[in-house]
């Protein structure tokens, strides 16, 4: 039950895009049509689901103060938490390489349309951000961390597909010249964010 | 005398080629840390420092990095610098470090860094790269400060935590606009900046 609550919360209330603005760069750049947006969204969700449990294990058994106690008495006082950033990013970067190879093999058309943004998932703030939030929130088990990853990923997916659908329709409207392209996208994201705030206070 | 190229490298990012509103890089932190002015400035300085030194380091070793693994190398250099900044902030300004929470760590994935390292440091000398880093960092900081200024002024009526809007206004019925503090308004503030900037620089407008 607690997991379900976390899942719903991370999709709608703590949404990566609307509440924390994580992963905005690719969000803005790859949201020109729904198909590509969906592809990137799925890739990000997958990355989150894979990298969060690994980073959780890493954090619990290696990095936290006293986490190395399982190695013996001498290691009980070791605090490696300052290394967290570099370890997390290393896990994420290598996982990205894996996803990239898989996408290239199974869906060359998606690979071509994602272009530069596939390797850049490694520097997508949503993924590192989720790992850092996971560290901050002190989840009880790897399962909870995975659920959090899945929820955040699906929230990101909903956001990017939504904005891509709006931008496709936007091609037919008369936007003031200086606002065309990126400006109006910012305003739309803001309005969507306000809409998403109506989910605030939902509890299961 | 400063040559024309150098001054272009340094000053272009301020307006014509601003990393935030023209290249649209590093948006996450612009939006997330600007509810108050002080964290916005600290964030601007941190990014400038990391960017300048990462640019120099990558530029110094650019001929020895194998192309295939350059992203990993860049990430390691940036991550090391960010860890230093993070520890320094924790030591000397714990309050702000708490307010910025994960966003200092997220400098690693700030697209401005990867963008500048890829586009500039890999093909230019250390001194040019340093100027490019400082220029882009300041260009980023300017937007941060503008957004932070308006959000704090309109949202809480303060600047740097000091009351700016006089009590008399409140007595007359003026109210702080609580919406400015909320995340969505950051997006709309940036959109307004883009609007003003692009109506002055017509060549930047999109079709």
């Amino acid at each position: 039950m607690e997991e379900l609550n976390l899942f719903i919360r991370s999709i709608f209330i703590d949404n990566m895009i609307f509440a924390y603005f994580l992963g905005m760069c690719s969000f803005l750049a790859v949201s020109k049509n729904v198909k590509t947006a969906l592809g990137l969204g799925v890739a990000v969700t997958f990355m989150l689901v894979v990298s969060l449990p690994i980073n959780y294990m890493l954090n619990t058994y290696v990095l936290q103060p006293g986490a190395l106690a399982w190695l013996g008495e001498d290691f009980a006082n070791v605090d490696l938490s300052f290394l967290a950033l570099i370890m997390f990013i290393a896990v994420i970067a290598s996982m990205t390489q894996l996803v990239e190879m898989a996408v290239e093999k199974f869906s060359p058309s998606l690979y071509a349309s994602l272009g530069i943004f596939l390797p850049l998932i490694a520097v997508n703030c949503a993924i590192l951000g989720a790992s850092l939030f996971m560290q901050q929130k002190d989840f009880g088990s790897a399962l909870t961390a995975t659920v959090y990853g899945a929820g955040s990923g699906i929230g990101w997916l909903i956001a990017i597909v939504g904005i891509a659908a709006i931008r496709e329709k936007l091609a037919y409207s008369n936007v003031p010249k200086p606002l065309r392209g990126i400006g109006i996208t910012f305003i739309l994201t803001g309005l969507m964010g306000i809409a998403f705030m109506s989910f605030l206070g939902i509890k299961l | 005398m400063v040559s024309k190229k150098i001054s272009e490298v340094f000053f272009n990012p301020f307006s014509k080629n601003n990393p935030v509103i023209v290249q649209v890089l590093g948006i996450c932190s612009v939006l997330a840390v600007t509810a108050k002015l002080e964290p916005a400035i600290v964030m601007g300085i941190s990014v400038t420092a990391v960017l300048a030194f990462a640019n120099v380091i990558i530029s110094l070793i650019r001929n020895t990095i194998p192309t295939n693994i350059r992203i990993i190398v860049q990430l390691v250099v940036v991550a090391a610098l960010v860890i230093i900044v993070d520890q320094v902030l924790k030591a000397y300004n714990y309050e702000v470090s708490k307010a910025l929470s994960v966003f200092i760590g997220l400098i690693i994935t700030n697209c401005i860094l990867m963008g500048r390292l890829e586009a500039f440091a890999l093909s230019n000398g250390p001194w040019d790269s340093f100027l490019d880093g400082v220029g882009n960092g300041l260009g980023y900081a300017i937007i941060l400060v503008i957004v932070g200024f308006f959000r704090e002024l309109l949202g809480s009526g303060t600047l740097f935590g000091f009351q700016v809007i006089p009590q008399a206004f409140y007595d007359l019925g003026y109210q702080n606009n609580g919406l400015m503090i909320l995340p969505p308004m950051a997006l709309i503030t940036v959109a307004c900046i883009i609007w003003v900037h692009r109506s002055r620089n017509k060549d930047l407008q999109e079709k």
Side-chain angles (χ1 to χ4, degrees), chain B residues 72-85:
Chain B
I72 307 265
V73 174
Q74 289 163 359
L75 279 178
V76 170
V77 169
V78 173
L81 287 167
V82 170
I83 289 176
I84 297 174
V85 168

Side-chain angles (χ1 to χ4, degrees), chain A residues 44-99:
Chain A
V44 166
T45 312
F46 180 74
M47 279 297 303
L48 277 166
V49 172
V50 174
S51 67
L52 265 193
I54 301 181
N55 280 343
Y56 178 83
M57 296 291 191
L58 209 58
N59 191 40
T60 322
Y61 295 112
V62 182
L63 296 170
Q64 266 178 359
L68 283 174
W70 55 273
L71 273 180
E73 282 294 304
D74 299 342
F75 294 92
N77 291 323
V78 180
D79 177 6
L80 292 178
S81 53
F82 69 97
L83 283 178
L85 288 174
I86 215 160
M87 296 297 278
F88 288 172
I89 201 76
V91 167
I92 291 168
S94 45
M95 279 295 137
T96 314
Q97 206 78 51
L98 210 71
V99 174

